[in-house]
Each structure stands twice: as C-alpha cells, then as structure tokens.
Amino acid sequence: MPNPPNKIQIEHSAVLSNIIRECIEQNDGWISFEQFMGLALYAPGLGYYSAGSKKIGADGDFITAPLLGKQFAGCLARQCNEIIKNLAADQLTTITEFGAGTGQFALDFLIHLDSLSRLPDQYLIIETSADLKQRQQQLIETSGREYLDIIKWVDAIPETGINGVIIANELLDSLPVMRFQIDDSGQAKELGVSIIDDRFDWKVSTHSIPEVLQQRLSQYSLPPGYQSEIGTHAEGWVRSIGEKLRSGVMILVDYGFPQAEFYHWDRVQGTLMCHYQHIAHDNPFYFPGIQDITSHVDFSAIAAAGHDADLQVMGYCGQGGFLLSLGLLENVETIQIGATQNNTAANPHSISRSHTLAQEIKKLTLPNQMGELFKVIALAKNYPAPLSGFTMQNRKGRL
Ligand SMILES: C[S@@+](CC[C@H](N)C(=O)[O-])C[C@H]1O[C@@H](n2cnc3c(N)ncnc32)[C@H](O)[C@@H]1O
C-alpha cells in the first residue's frame, strides 16, 4: 500500500487545487479536462512535473525503461549510430531529446555512442520541468562531464531546424488530453471538470467536440456512455516539432495502440491512468500535483500528424521487437558468457550482475511487461535508408 501524502504534500496540493478551483469559477463552473490535466501536471512551480517531488524511479511514482539499466539507451544509440552515419557528412548532426526525465538516458546513450566513436555535434535537451532539468544537469556534471561541451539545455529547436534524430521516451503519454463521452444520439461530448459537493468531479459539456474529431470517432460506432481520450497536444507536438526536422528521424517510444484498438469497445472507460508511489489507478482528482496523470497514445493519430509535417512512417512495432532487432540479446549473451566463465563462489558479483541484466531484458521485452504495450514509431524526413530497429517486426500497416 502506498504511504498517504504527508502534511507538506497535502498543503502543496491544496494550493494547486485552489488555483484550479479559481479557473473553474472564472469559467462559469467548468473547465475542459485538457486544461485540468495541464494545470495538475505543469502549473508553474506547483504542477506534478514542475514541482520537486521525486516522480521517476524506485523511490518515486513510476519507473521508465532508461532507469531499468543501460540496455534501452544502448539499443537506441546503435539505431542512432546508423542514422548519423547515413546523414550528409557536411551537415551538423544534432540529437534532440525531449523530456529527459532524470537525465539517465542522455548519459547512457552518449557513453554508448562515444564507444562507437559516433558522438553527434550537439545533443539538445528540451525539458519543461525546471526541477528535472536541474537533476539532469547535476547528473551530467557528476557522471558525464566529458559530454558537457556537446549537451545544451534549450527551450526549443532552433528556427533553422536540425539534421539528425529527435528522441522522446514516454513524453506523449504525459501531454494533456481531451476527454469525451458518447451521448445517446452517438455524438461525442467533451468531458470536463466542475466542482460538485465541494470536490472536483467530471461534468459532460453540452457542446460536441470539433467536427473533424467527431468524424474520426464516428468510424468506430462507439456506444452511448463510452468515454475515452484524444491526444490533441501529442498530435500538435508531432506536427510542430516534425516541421523543424530538415533531415533525419523522429523516434517516439510510449505505451499505446493503433486507433482501431485504442477505440475498442472493450475500453469503455478510455485509457486515463494515474500513478502514485507505483500504484496505478484511474482517479485524476486525487491530490492534484502529487500524482502523475497519463493517457495511452493513439499511434495512428501520431502517424497522421507526422504526415501533416511531411514525415513518413518508417516503422512501428512493439518495444521488444525494436530492441531485439538492435542486438539486445547479443549484448546480453556476451555479458552472460563472461559471467559463466567467472561463475565461482569467489565471484558472486558477476552472477548478481548477470541476474540483474536478465531481469532488465525481461522487463523491456516480455509481452506481459513492456515488450508489447510499449511501441516504437519512427517518422522520417529526407532519410531514405531502412532502420535496423524494424528488421524483425514492422507493423506500420496496422496504423
Ligand atoms: C514520463 S516522463 C519521461 C522521462 C524520461 N524520458 C524517461 O524515460 O525517464 C515525461 C518527461 O517529459 C517532460 N515534458 C513534458 N512535457 C514536455 C514538453 N512539452 N517538452 C519537453 N519536455 C516535456 C516532463 O517534464 C518529463 O521529464
């Protein structure tokens, strides 16, 4: 069971809740869920990502692939090694990571690329959370000083655009979503937040959602009462960032499905999920500011948004298939052979390391862990070569 929030957390949440409450009152008693989620996660100094809680890691609320070990970053580095090699040699190569979390991915990724003698000209980190940005800088200063001259923390991709790779792991799921509910006539009405009995609660708007989104949903004949999400911010993000890519590949990793699976009749409550101390639940109104709120990603909509920005889908598959295609097991086999050769009572360290690695590989690839629910999509512009990450599996036809 999670520990209940402490006094400081409760006070923090109360301050943020008052701000949200004022917004609701100033807006005739109703705000969109999109706005609520934006404030709960990103209100300056108070939102879950903007404030100082631990968030990511064993002692936070959830764990991400780069924190399981070095294999995820290593595989991505091997994919980027191939991309950088294929880009025009006379252009500056830039890797841009959005939402770098603790900074662990950037560190392990650059160490791996360095070992392949393929460091990019620059590694840009774009991070909205001042708290996480500070943690990233501390980690790089203590454990990756040699990369400080190529890493830059910036607010946006330069207007002139970049050549290289854009990477985002678990960024899209953390962007605010529009929520809707299907009414008795089959129309999707926007779900928002009101104050009912002095508490935040769901309230359906009398207005339908925009026609273009209504048409999107009408393909799936959803039943009355069905609730779900539309990743409007994630789609907008892909469009605007995709336009800044002159040549190269955008690699996005997150949990989600193609649209037909996303709006499946079985998912009558949608995909909204909250994380607090490693417990997942579906109440976004629980102590705003101290818990994460996420939604799964509609990868068909992401592919379509990429198309609007002249990006072409190069590949889409489960995270397991992607990492295995990039030599995950070969790497582990080498390490395990090493451990077996040293497998004596005098060397328990290598046995334990081998066990930890096996656990990491299982978490990253098994279908009932991150291997299938997590997907990788690669969107490219002016980049003609195939990507090795999709050698074993490419399901872009399902999008
Ligand atoms: C779920 S965490 C994932 C962190 C990290 N990529 C990992 O795998 O551990 C989401 C990250 O995205 C950041 N973020 C959210 N919206 C962003 C945006 N629009 N631009 C850049 N970073 C953003 C958050 O502050 C956080 O660092």
Side-chain angles (χ1 to χ4, degrees):
M1 283 300 286
N3 295 319
N6 62 32
K7 196 164 165 274
I8 294 170
Q9 289 174 310
I10 291 171
E11 279 167 9
H12 169 147
S13 181
V15 177
L16 177 59
S17 297
N18 278 339
I19 290 173
I20 300 175
R21 209 173 255 268
E22 276 168 27
C23 277
I24 294 175
E25 281 158 8
Q26 284 162 14
N27 202 44
D28 294 330
W30 186 92
I31 57 170
S32 66
F33 179 72
E34 212 167 356
Q35 199 180 347
F36 175 88
M37 184 168 167
L39 288 166
L41 296 184
Y42 303 108
L46 289 168
Y48 176 73
Y49 281 106
S50 318
S53 75
K54 189 82 177 120
K55 302 181 263 286
I56 314 168
D59 49 353
D61 300 306
F62 59 93
I63 198 133
T64 57
L67 296 190
L68 294 172
K70 298 182 188 316
Q71 302 306 316
F72 179 81
C75 289
L76 267 286
R78 290 197 281 283
Q79 179 61 87
C80 290
N81 173 35
E82 174 186 271
I83 297 169
I84 298 175
K85 202 160 52 174
N86 286 329
L87 284 171
D90 58 345
Q91 311 250 20
L92 209 69
T93 46
T94 303
I95 306 275
T96 305
E97 184 186 359
F98 277 83
T102 61
Q104 193 62 51
F105 175 85
L107 178 64
D108 293 337
F109 176 88
L110 286 172
I111 290 173
H112 202 95
L113 266 189
D114 200 3
S115 74
L116 301 171
S117 306
R118 187 81 62 189
L119 283 177
D121 294 304
Q122 51 180 359
Y123 190 97
L124 304 182
I125 295 184
I126 300 182
E127 171 59 68
T128 44
S129 160
D131 168 57
L132 288 172
K133 184 172 161 184
Q134 201 180 13
R135 273 196 247 169
Q136 294 156 15
Q137 289 171 336
Q138 271 166 5
L139 180 73
I140 302 297
E141 270 159 27
T142 48
S143 307
R145 285 199 72 78
E146 59 274 44
Y147 305 120
L148 275 174
D149 52 345
I150 59 167
I151 302 183
K152 288 194 194 84
W153 281 266
V154 294
D155 292 334
I157 290 183
E159 275 311 314
T160 48
I162 52 158
N163 302 294
V165 188
I166 293 170
I167 300 176
N169 182 51
E170 290 206 42
L171 168 84
L172 301 179
D173 73 75
S174 71
L175 300 180
V177 290
M178 174 189 281
R179 282 214 98 210
F180 65 85
Q181 177 170 309
I182 303 293
D183 72 7
D184 289 343
S185 67
Q187 288 285 301
K189 297 277 160 59
E190 188 166 4
L191 269 170
V193 183
S194 280
I195 295 164
I196 299 168
D197 293 336
D198 205 34
R199 294 199 334 228
F200 296 128
D201 210 342
W202 294 105
K203 187 160 182 200
V204 188
S205 158
T206 49
H207 305 294
S208 295
I209 64 169
E211 184 55 31
V212 60
L213 299 177
Q214 198 77 250
Q215 275 173 15
R216 181 191 291 182
L217 298 176
S218 67
Q219 301 170 69
Y220 303 104
S221 307
L222 300 173
Y226 187 98
Q227 298 181 347
S228 191
E229 302 83 36
I230 300 176
T232 40
H233 283 241
E235 293 170 36
W237 181 88
V238 170
R239 263 184 231 110
S240 67
I241 302 305
E243 276 164 11
K244 301 270 180 66
L245 187 64
R246 288 205 305 266
S247 65
V249 186
M250 181 189 269
I251 302 175
L252 307 173
V253 186
D254 225 308
Y255 38 91
F257 322 96
Q259 200 163 84
E261 277 177 59
F262 193 98
Y263 296 122
H264 195 275
W265 275 44
D266 284 349
R267 255 182 273 287
V268 286
Q269 298 291 330
T271 71
L272 202 69
M273 233 172 23
C274 305
H275 297 103
Y276 175 65
Q277 292 184 10
H278 298 274
I279 302 281
H281 66 92
D282 63 1
N283 179 7
F285 308 129
Y286 179 77
F287 291 99
I290 68 149
Q291 66 163 358
D292 189 24
I293 307 175
T294 78
S295 168
H296 285 46
V297 175
D298 168 356
F299 280 99
S300 305
I302 295 302
H307 190 254
D308 293 343
D310 291 329
L311 296 166
Q312 184 199 345
V313 180
M314 302 287 287
Y316 168 74
C317 71
Q319 174 177 287
F322 184 77
L323 300 180
L324 291 169
S325 295
L326 288 164
L328 178 66
L329 284 188
E330 286 95 89
N331 196 18
V332 171
E333 274 160 16
T334 316
I335 295 163
Q336 286 200 321
I337 289 165
T340 312
Q341 283 166 350
N342 296 320
N343 193 353
T344 64
N347 198 350
H349 196 70
S350 62
I351 300 170
S352 147
R353 183 154 174 259
S354 169
H355 176 75
T356 309
L357 250 169
Q359 293 306 315
E360 178 185 354
I361 306 305
K362 282 185 190 167
K363 282 200 182 116
L364 290 172
T365 58
L366 285 181
N368 61 351
Q369 303 224 13
M370 299 174 93
E372 267 301 312
L373 177 60
F374 280 72
K375 309 292 192 316
V376 183
I377 190 168
L379 303 162
K381 196 186 283 179
N382 299 323
Y383 184 83
L387 299 172
S388 294
F390 301 98
T391 320
M392 290 183 184
Q393 193 184 66
N394 195 343
R395 300 184 189 145
K396 65 179 179 171
R398 293 199 195 168
L399 291 171

